[in-house]
Amino acid sequence: MAHELVVILDCGGHYSQLIARRVREANVYCEVYPYRVAQERIQGKNPKALILTGGTKETYEKDAEGVNKALFDLGIPMLGIYYGPEQVEEGSNVIPTLIQSDHVSNLYTVQLNATLIHTTHCDDVIHNFLYEVADLAGDWNMEAFAEKSIQALREKIGNKKVLCALSGGVDSSVAAVLIHKAVGSQLTCIFVDHGLMRKHEGDEVEHTFKEQFNMNLVRVNAEDRFLDKLAGITDPETKRKIIGEEFIRVFEEEAKKIGTVDFLVQGTIYPDVIESGASDSGTMIKSHHNVGGLPDHVDFKEIIEPLQELFKDEVRALGRVLHIPDMLVDRQPFPGPGLGIRVIGDITKEKLDILREADYIYRDEIAKAGLDKKIWQYFVVLTNLRSVGVTDGKRTYHYTVALRGVTSIDGMTADWARIPFEVLEKISRRITKEAPNINRVVYDITSKPPATIEWE
Ligand code: XMP
């Protein structure tokens, strides 16, 4: 797809993806490469500008030395970004500016720091560079992307058959709808309902894709199978492995009924492609699956990854352009193994049902308090602990649930969310009253690290 391209060369530091997202938000398409990328690969892509992002001034300058000098000779505008100590006093209004190099006329540098990178000053610098220095038009937006991809998918798929594992997560949902817009009933989606979803979730997924989008959706109700396999299992990694493997097995069985297909859809997104080093080797395929790897026994000829150029925010924006309901597009991250890793210890249907009720109440109250867009992820964990309580003057011996709520950028690190006490109080009261067999509610006040977001 032809749009203006800016190439970002990653010269160390941790900000290349963040800068890339800022560039995309400024309506310019960009790709991230390691700084040692072969010059021919970049030149062949005909970039309109280069951005070098590095760590400290010293490491940036060292790595920038390693960038193939032929790239400097392309004659296109270049911006070097490195990270300095706080060069502005806290609270002062000094705006970082582009500094033109004395030696190379098309090279500008700017020093940012950890504070500035998250502010509009950073956007201003990038905006100035893209529009004032590089004189770009800014032709990247999700409407255009949707239109062009649908056209390209139509050409690629022709009259062939496509198969997609739909989980109800954002990526697989957007990928499926995009392909459906391109080739309609040539796409079949398989939705494996493992019985580990949240309250009403399976029905919502089925309803959305079948009724609203009129898609070929096969829902497999495999709850019993999963619960049989999981009976008595307490080790977290074993649970994950069983769920992942069983998922593949159920998917394979259903796929077999459909027969040979030409394409299998993967919801791979751009961060997966960058992290896998694929941008270095030139291959764009990563065996990444939300639950557990690629199926071995599905007859398909090629993998199709329609979201591989997009960051998560862009996938959501594309979902909105495609009129996918907010409930799916704004969905908080949800692990592939689902509630299976939120019931601590052995999993039973009874425990899952208790957890589903408590989790439903938690989500309801968080939304009512207007916090649902502010907290990155929030959920209930059914701990394996029971404790003594009292209800209506009678002794109870029921479960303790833990509420988890975190703020995060990408799930790699997280801070516990400061949910107001009044909201927590309401949630606790409702859970102990309305959800069965729970007499104690605790709030998890641990960040990641040292804890992880999920308990298992
Ligand atoms: P942890 O618990 O490792 O989780 O701090 C980080 C983020 O990843 C999600 N998560 C998963 N997502 N499959 C997924 O697709 C999984 O197996 C899985 N395990 C954890 C978790 O919910 C959090 O957002």
Side-chain angles (χ1 to χ4, degrees):
M1 266 175 264
H3 17 244
E4 291 172 334
L5 169 71
V6 167
V7 162
I8 296 184
L9 295 176
D10 183 349
C11 301
H14 303 289
Y15 293 101
S16 60
Q17 280 197 40
L18 214 126
I19 297 292
R21 281 164 53 190
R22 292 279 188 273
V23 171
R24 299 256 188 117
E25 279 162 19
N27 298 110
V28 174
Y29 180 70
C30 62
E31 291 178 0
V32 181
Y33 293 89
Y35 70 95
R36 289 184 192 284
V37 63
Q39 172 254 335
E40 297 77 27
R41 280 195 64 206
I42 300 302
Q43 203 167 352
K45 289 175 173 288
N46 190 25
K48 298 286 179 258
L50 283 182
I51 297 179
L52 285 69
T53 74
T56 61
K57 186 166 196 269
E58 290 71 33
T59 60
Y60 160 78
E61 282 174 353
K62 189 167 145 282
D63 285 348
E65 277 296 302
V67 174
N68 195 312
K69 287 295 165 296
L71 289 175
F72 285 66
D73 295 336
L74 291 177
I76 57 176
M78 302 197 305
L79 170 65
I81 302 177
Y82 59 84
Y83 300 89
E86 308 290 310
Q87 84 268 46
V88 288
E89 299 277 315
E90 193 83 41
S92 94
N93 290 321
V94 182
I95 296 171
T97 44
L98 299 177
I99 299 171
Q100 192 164 14
S101 158
D102 293 339
H103 314 291
V104 190
S105 65
N106 54 334
L107 174 64
Y108 295 77
T109 52
V110 64
Q111 178 186 328
L112 292 176
N113 60 42
T115 317
L116 282 168
I117 192 114
H118 294 291
T119 67
T120 52
H121 293 330
C122 174
D123 297 336
D124 290 345
V125 166
I126 287 171
H127 204 272
N128 272 348
F129 174 71
L130 297 173
Y131 292 103
E132 304 302 324
V133 177
D135 200 22
L136 298 178
D139 60 3
W140 176 251
N141 63 63
M142 281 305 125
E143 284 81 10
F145 176 84
E147 213 170 283
K148 284 182 197 167
S149 329
I150 290 168
Q151 191 55 37
L153 285 165
R154 217 169 262 157
E155 280 162 26
K156 184 178 172 118
I157 297 168
N159 56 7
K160 296 182 176 149
K161 280 207 263 182
V162 190
L163 183 64
C164 176
L166 198 64
S167 66
V170 183
D171 301 342
S172 69
S173 299
V174 174
V177 171
L178 190 66
I179 291 180
H180 182 254
K181 293 257 187 253
V183 298
S185 60
Q186 287 160 246
L187 169 72
T188 304
C189 296
I190 297 177
F191 166 42
V192 176
D193 185 348
H194 48 27
L196 305 168
M197 308 270 280
R198 290 167 293 198
K199 190 172 169 179
H200 299 322
E201 210 164 27
D203 294 342
E204 280 166 3
V205 170
E206 181 173 358
H207 179 83
T208 303
F209 295 102
K210 262 195 178 156
E211 312 300 324
Q212 185 183 337
F213 288 104
N214 213 358
M215 285 161 64
N216 278 333
L217 176 80
V218 181
R219 176 177 179 177
V220 194
N221 291 314
E223 181 185 37
D224 292 345
R225 269 180 81 156
F226 278 83
L227 291 185
D228 280 353
K229 287 269 172 196
L230 289 165
I233 306 293
T234 56
D235 176 61
E237 278 314 300
T238 313
K239 283 186 190 175
R240 281 175 176 275
K241 201 159 162 257
I242 290 173
I243 297 167
E245 282 174 8
E246 197 59 17
F247 182 90
I248 297 281
R249 209 156 300 149
V250 175
F251 181 73
E252 284 174 350
E253 284 174 21
E254 283 310 311
K256 208 172 276 172
K257 294 182 194 161
I258 292 164
T260 306
V261 293
D262 302 279
F263 297 97
L264 181 71
V265 182
Q266 288 281 294
T268 315
I269 64 171
Y270 194 48
D272 302 326
V273 177
I274 301 179
E275 278 156 20
S276 69
S279 49
D280 204 10
S281 67
T283 58
M284 285 301 219
I285 295 166
K286 189 191 170 199
S287 56
H288 169 90
H289 191 282
N290 202 23
V291 178
L294 272 179
D296 297 327
H297 300 106
V298 172
D299 242 342
F300 66 93
K301 300 196 180 86
E302 206 180 317
I303 284 178
I304 195 164
E305 299 178 294
L307 310 179
Q308 63 174 342
E309 288 181 351
L310 305 184
F311 284 108
K312 194 82 180 186
D313 328 346
E314 294 176 309
V315 174
R316 293 189 205 277
L318 176 60
R320 283 189 197 99
V321 168
L322 297 172
H323 305 295
I324 299 178
D326 291 348
M327 177 263 294
L328 282 175
V329 168
D330 294 329
R331 200 176 186 253
Q332 52 170 316
F334 188 64
L339 302 183
I341 55 166
R342 293 181 183 168
V343 168
I344 309 305
D346 72 313
I347 302 168
T348 62
K349 173 138 173 58
E350 187 215 354
K351 288 183 183 174
L352 286 166
D353 286 340
I354 295 171
L355 175 57
R356 267 190 274 266
E357 285 306 318
D359 190 70
Y360 189 75
I361 294 165
Y362 187 27
R363 286 189 286 137
D364 185 44
E365 287 299 328
I366 289 291
K368 280 184 184 153
L371 296 171
D372 50 334
K373 300 251 159 56
K374 297 193 176 120
I375 305 177
W376 195 73
Q377 194 174 9
Y378 49 98
F379 54 87
V380 178
V381 175
L382 186 71
T383 75
N384 210 16
L385 180 82
R386 289 197 288 167
S387 71
V388 176
V390 57
T391 303
D392 299 331
K394 288 203 193 80
R395 179 189 189 272
T396 58
Y397 187 55
H398 286 157
Y399 287 108
T400 300
V401 291
L403 309 178
R404 185 74 163 133
V406 296
T407 53
S408 178
I409 304 277
D410 53 12
M412 303 295 281
T413 59
D415 193 9
W416 59 278
R418 272 45 170 190
I419 298 176
F421 282 171
E422 311 82 75
V423 179
L424 287 172
E425 189 201 347
K426 219 171 184 183
I427 295 163
S428 167
R429 210 187 306 220
R430 271 192 70 191
I431 288 180
T432 47
K433 190 154 171 243
E434 296 171 34
N437 296 330
I438 296 170
N439 65 1
R440 199 175 292 270
V441 177
V442 298
Y443 188 56
D444 181 348
I445 51 164
T446 338
S447 299
K448 171 184 180 177
T452 52
I453 295 176
E454 303 287 347
W455 277 34
E456 289 197 333

